[in-house]
Amino acid sequence: MVGVNDSLRSEYEQLADDVRRYRFAYYNEDAPLVSDAEFDRLFGRLEEIEALHPELVSNDSPTQEVGGDVSAAFSPVEHLSRMYSLEDVFSTSELSVWLERAGTNAATQAPHERLRWLCEVKIDGLAVNLLYRDGRLVRAATRGDGTTGEDVTHNVLTIKSIPTELAGSGWPAEVEVRGEIFISSAEFAAYNENLVAQGKAPLANPRNAAAGSIRQKDPAETAKRPLSMFVHGIGVREGLVAASQHETYDLLAAWGLPVSPYSELLDTEDEVLDYIGRFGASRHELIHEIDGIVVKADAFAIQRSLGYTSRVPRWAVAYKYPPEEVHTRLLDIKVDV
Ligand code: NAD
């Protein structure tokens, strides 16, 4: 392998600094400095350089970290089990390569398990971890760096769709439920209309509005924002009687937790591609904004056998839709969304 020359090393260091700075603005200040598409492009270039020169990778490289920090404005909370990000692909051909590789690894490592893909929409919101003890919500935290998040319990308690007590029975004594907090497209439009009617500036987009709302110092402020949640994962779950992701969603729904209506259990790559096409065409008619599709190996036995890197599960992937060009009627400028 050819060694790293000075210009590539300085490009790499500059990129790593930029990615850290943009992440801080996005996660800690809820005020991105660049579009998601631009961020993804820079992150992709960082990964490309590291693939060519693995000697550049260190433990604090942005590609090895989950992303957010913990702001001093909130108490730190250790998640009982780690929270992860997702590996991204940006085209259906990249997705096909990913499905093929994961399928081959699953067939080798968990040969008796049937491989099925659970397809879900990728909600453009803020990841939160809910801890229920004996069926009671005792803590809610942001993802943070994946190990430690920010305690936002008081703010999450203001969200009506999140039960403070689980319904039914059969929940483990201690269970971590992960999901995405968002503002629905309809609520966002109404909220902004109201702001404008009061002569105030409208909020820029639902994702940052949701993240900013949940990270308020005063829960009374959070309570004024129309926040919702869909759950899409589970952490500590000892004693949970479920063999797959989709069975778990059925249980979570029975316990009164809000589960996305858009998930579908599929068998073939063609069906996955069809799902991507259908949701791409109808993405603006959904309850909330999405920035892609998440494809997960459904069986827990396969998830366990494929495992995790330091940043992402090897049993799930996010397909990101290409950025759309939006013409605003007022200014006729083009922006990435
Ligand atoms: P990610 O957004 O690619 O994916 C991981 C997250 O997706 C999970 O943590 C989870 O919370 C969420 N998610 C939504 N729906 C889900 C579902 N159905 N199942 C599972 N997870 C689901 O990764 P990330 O590390 O959170 O953030 C990286 C992305 O955030 C970038 O790709 C970029 O688009 C954006 N970002 C933008 C900037 C910026 O400056 N504009 C900065 C940092 C990150």
Side-chain angles (χ1 to χ4, degrees), residues 77-84 128-143 146-149 166 171-179 229 231-238 240 245 248-249 252 255 257 300:
V77 166
E78 293 269 309
H79 302 305
L80 300 186
S81 82
R82 192 170 155 71
M83 294 179 79
Y84 289 86
V128 163
N129 188 24
L130 308 175
L131 174 62
Y132 287 90
R133 276 205 185 105
D134 298 322
R136 194 177 287 261
L137 179 63
V138 292
R139 204 169 68 190
T142 63
R143 190 182 67 181
T147 303
T148 309
L166 296 178
W171 15 266
E174 198 166 58
V175 59
E176 285 180 303
V177 181
R178 278 87 194 256
M229 182 177 193
V231 299
H232 54 56
I234 191 154
V236 151
R237 65 183 89 170
E238 208 178 313
L240 182 86
Q245 191 87 17
T248 303
Y249 291 164
L252 296 178
W255 300 341
L257 286 154
F300 284 158

Side-chain angles (χ1 to χ4, degrees), residues 188-203 330:
F188 183 71
Y191 190 81
N192 262 352
E193 260 175 44
N194 201 15
L195 284 178
V196 171
Q198 294 172 47
K200 295 183 184 160
L203 302 172
L330 283 177

Side-chain angles (χ1 to χ4, degrees), residues 22-23 26-27 32-36 39-40 66 84-86 88 120-123 127 143 179-180 232 291 294 296 311 318 320:
Y22 294 150
R23 272 183 171 168
Y26 182 84
Y27 292 113
L33 299 170
V34 292
S35 71
D36 287 359
F39 179 86
D40 290 342
V66 158
Y84 289 86
S85 180
L86 285 167
D88 292 325
E120 304 176 15
V121 292
K122 187 166 182 298
I123 306 160
R143 190 182 67 181
E180 210 74 5
H232 54 56
D291 63 340
V294 186
K296 300 176 181 172
R311 198 177 71 85
K320 293 274 181 88

Side-chain angles (χ1 to χ4, degrees), residues 122-270:
K122 187 166 182 298
I123 306 160
D124 203 6
L126 177 81
V128 163
N129 188 24
L130 308 175
L131 174 62
Y132 287 90
R133 276 205 185 105
D134 298 322
R136 194 177 287 261
L137 179 63
V138 292
R139 204 169 68 190
T142 63
R143 190 182 67 181
D145 65 7
T147 303
T148 309
E150 298 159 321
D151 191 333
V152 289
T153 311
H154 293 299
N155 295 348
V156 164
L157 285 171
T158 69
I159 303 176
K160 291 181 194 64
S161 58
I162 299 178
T164 49
E165 295 203 18
L166 296 178
S169 58
W171 15 266
E174 198 166 58
V175 59
E176 285 180 303
V177 181
R178 278 87 194 256
E180 210 74 5
I181 298 220
F182 61 89
I183 297 181
S184 76
S185 303
E187 295 273 23
F188 183 71
Y191 190 81
N192 262 352
E193 260 175 44
N194 201 15
L195 284 178
V196 171
Q198 294 172 47
K200 295 183 184 160
L203 302 172
N205 67 57
R207 189 267 160 204
N208 296 321
S213 302
I214 213 66
R215 300 177 72 253
Q216 290 287 320
K217 285 304 290 170
D218 178 5
E221 267 314 305
T222 307
K224 292 180 194 159
R225 313 288 177 94
L227 295 167
S228 304
M229 182 177 193
F230 281 144
V231 299
H232 54 56
I234 191 154
V236 151
R237 65 183 89 170
E238 208 178 313
L240 182 86
V241 186
S244 66
Q245 191 87 17
H246 88 272
E247 280 176 26
T248 303
Y249 291 164
D250 291 344
L251 285 176
L252 296 178
W255 300 341
L257 286 154
V259 173
S260 170
Y262 303 123
S263 305
E264 292 181 22
L265 189 57
L266 303 172
D267 285 303
T268 65
E269 180 182 328
D270 282 349

Side-chain angles (χ1 to χ4, degrees), residues 311-328:
R311 198 177 71 85
V312 296
R314 292 197 181 90
W315 46 266
V317 68
Y319 166 86
K320 293 274 181 88
Y321 287 113
E324 296 173 298
E325 272 187 358
V326 173
H327 284 269
T328 66

